[in-house]
Each structure stands twice: as structure tokens, then as C-alpha cells.
Amino acid sequence: MYNETVRGAGMDLVFFKDAAVHLARISRILSMPIGHAMLVGVGGSGKQSLTRLASYIAGYEIFQITLSRTYNAQNLLDDLKILYRTAGLKRKGSHLYFHRQRD
């Protein structure tokens, strides 16, 4: 269902027990009234995929900020304005995801 509704972001996942446990944890955190988490780990471990899937399950919109050398404080303020309008004014659940671009 996820691959059919999210354009350009299809995922081919192989679920193993640990991935299912992590998905359940992330989903539980996101379902809390003020749920937030910081996922830390090596690249390629599935943090982004599981978080996107958990956000989809929760019905949240994903707002991704890609950090690069040229990204500055003004860019952050502009992005946060967009996010606050979506989350606050439109009352839509949102998931803020920071992604570091490798230079």
C-alpha cells in the first residue's frame, strides 16, 4: 500500500525480527502526543526507511530538511515556517526528518 500511495519513494523491504521491533518502537513513539526521537546509527541500517514507514502508518506528512554546506540559518527559518504552517495551521501530523548531504 505504501508503494502505491507515495510517488517516487517506493521501498523494497525485507523484514526481519529486529526491523519489526524497531518499527513498532518508532510507531509507538510517533503515536504519543508529544512523541519525538533521535535515531542514531550507521548508514544503511534502515533508520530512514523504518521511520518513513512508521510515519505513513501514523498518517503523518514527512518534511525532510537536507543539510549541506550551503544550508544556513535563514534556510532553516524558511523551512520551519513551512512546517509550522502545515503542522499548526492545517493541524496535520508531521514528521521532521533531517538528512545530512555528503559533500
Side-chain angles (χ1 to χ4, degrees):
M1 183 91 134
Y2 175 87
N3 287 346
E4 295 170 0
T5 58
V6 178
R7 265 197 268 161
M11 288 191 283
D12 293 324
L13 294 177
V14 175
F15 268 98
F16 48 94
K17 185 178 178 185
D18 288 338
V21 169
H22 289 305
L23 178 62
R25 281 187 188 138
I26 296 167
S27 294
R28 181 180 51 81
I29 291 168
L30 292 178
S31 68
M32 296 171 75
I34 306 176
H36 59 278
M38 181 167 65
L39 305 178
V40 179
V42 297
S45 61
K47 295 179 302 293
Q48 182 176 356
S49 298
L50 290 176
T51 304
R52 285 182 177 276
L53 187 56
S55 294
Y56 176 78
I57 291 169
Y60 291 171
E61 288 187 8
I62 299 171
F63 189 85
Q64 181 171 329
I65 293 177
T66 302
L67 303 174
S68 66
R69 289 181 190 244
T70 59
Y71 194 85
N72 58 29
Q74 187 59 47
N75 297 126
L76 177 63
L77 290 174
D78 293 341
D79 285 341
L80 288 178
K81 284 179 191 176
I82 296 168
L83 176 64
Y84 289 163
R85 284 189 187 113
T86 302
L89 293 176
K90 297 179 183 175
R91 316 256 323 146
K92 290 186 179 179
S94 298
H95 157 195
L96 175 61
Y97 181 80
F98 286 98
H99 177 74
R100 184 182 65 138
Q101 182 181 32
R102 297 181 188 238
D103 294 327

